Amino acid sequence: RQYFYYKGRCCLLLNQLDSAEHYFRKVYHPGMSAIEMNPMYKGLLNVFVQKNITDSIAKYSILYCEANDSSLVAKDQLLIAQLTASYNYSRHRDKASMEHQKAMREKQKNTVLYFVLILTLLLFFIVVLGMRRRKKMLHIKYLYKTERLEQVMGQLTTMRKQKEEYESLLRRS
């Protein structure tokens, strides 16, 4: 869903307002929390501000404020939960260990992703270079064959002239 948000932001910056609105609307999915709706409402509000549609500006500014307030309440609740959890050392330590493992898994995923990306690019370049070599070889063969054809045509022309000379000599005799 973040992809659609960033795609919408990009379209908004490029002044493609209809596309931006489309991508911001694709951020929504059923069962979204208010925190997740916050960027969607903010993006739609920015689109309608640029389009200067006042009723939609009013609607999405209210929705954005509500989502923002809900996210602030959730952040406050998260802060209180964090303070409470800081007194529970064993839970905190276990959570830190789980976060570390999660970060390591993400790092491994990113490493594999980069490796696959590099491998794909390398294969792409190999294929492109192979195609260029093949094209160059075909061009060289074409030039060779056209040169050879010109030689044969020259020989054929010479042979025709010689044939005409022989025939004219035979006719004279």
Side-chain angles (χ1 to χ4, degrees), residues 55-73:
D55 59 330
S56 295
I57 292 172
K59 174 185 174 182
Y60 284 104
S61 63
I62 290 170
L63 290 173
Y64 175 62
C65 287
E66 288 175 0
N68 199 21
D69 290 344
S70 298
S71 68
L72 289 175
V73 167

Side-chain angles (χ1 to χ4, degrees), residues 37-100:
M37 288 186 192
N38 194 12
M40 176 185 68
Y41 289 145
K42 183 179 180 180
L44 287 169
L45 176 62
N46 288 332
V47 167
F48 290 118
V49 165
Q50 284 192 6
K51 284 186 173 182
N52 202 17
I53 302 175
T54 55
D55 59 330
S56 295
I57 292 172
K59 174 185 174 182
Y60 284 104
S61 63
I62 290 170
L63 290 173
Y64 175 62
C65 287
E66 288 175 0
N68 199 21
D69 290 344
S70 298
S71 68
L72 289 175
V73 167
K75 285 180 184 177
D76 288 344
Q77 289 174 347
L78 181 65
L79 181 64
I80 291 170
Q82 287 175 346
L83 289 173
T84 305
S86 68
Y87 292 106
N88 186 355
Y89 297 114
S90 63
R91 180 173 172 226
H92 184 69
R93 186 182 59 236
D94 293 342
K95 186 176 178 182
S97 174
M98 288 174 50
E99 290 294 324
H100 177 70

Side-chain angles (χ1 to χ4, degrees), residues 130-171:
M131 289 174 63
R132 284 185 180 173
R133 277 193 195 127
R134 184 169 182 256
K135 186 177 178 180
K136 188 175 182 180
M137 289 302 293
L138 288 173
H139 184 69
I140 289 170
K141 284 181 183 180
Y142 171 75
L143 291 176
Y144 173 74
K145 288 182 180 183
T146 54
E147 183 180 312
R148 182 73 179 126
L149 179 63
E150 287 174 4
Q151 288 175 355
V152 170
M153 291 298 287
Q155 289 174 354
L156 181 62
T157 305
T158 306
M159 291 172 79
R160 283 184 183 163
K161 286 180 184 177
Q162 288 175 353
K163 179 184 172 187
E164 288 174 9
E165 288 176 12
Y166 289 138
E167 286 178 355
S168 68
L169 286 174
L170 286 176
R171 279 186 224 150

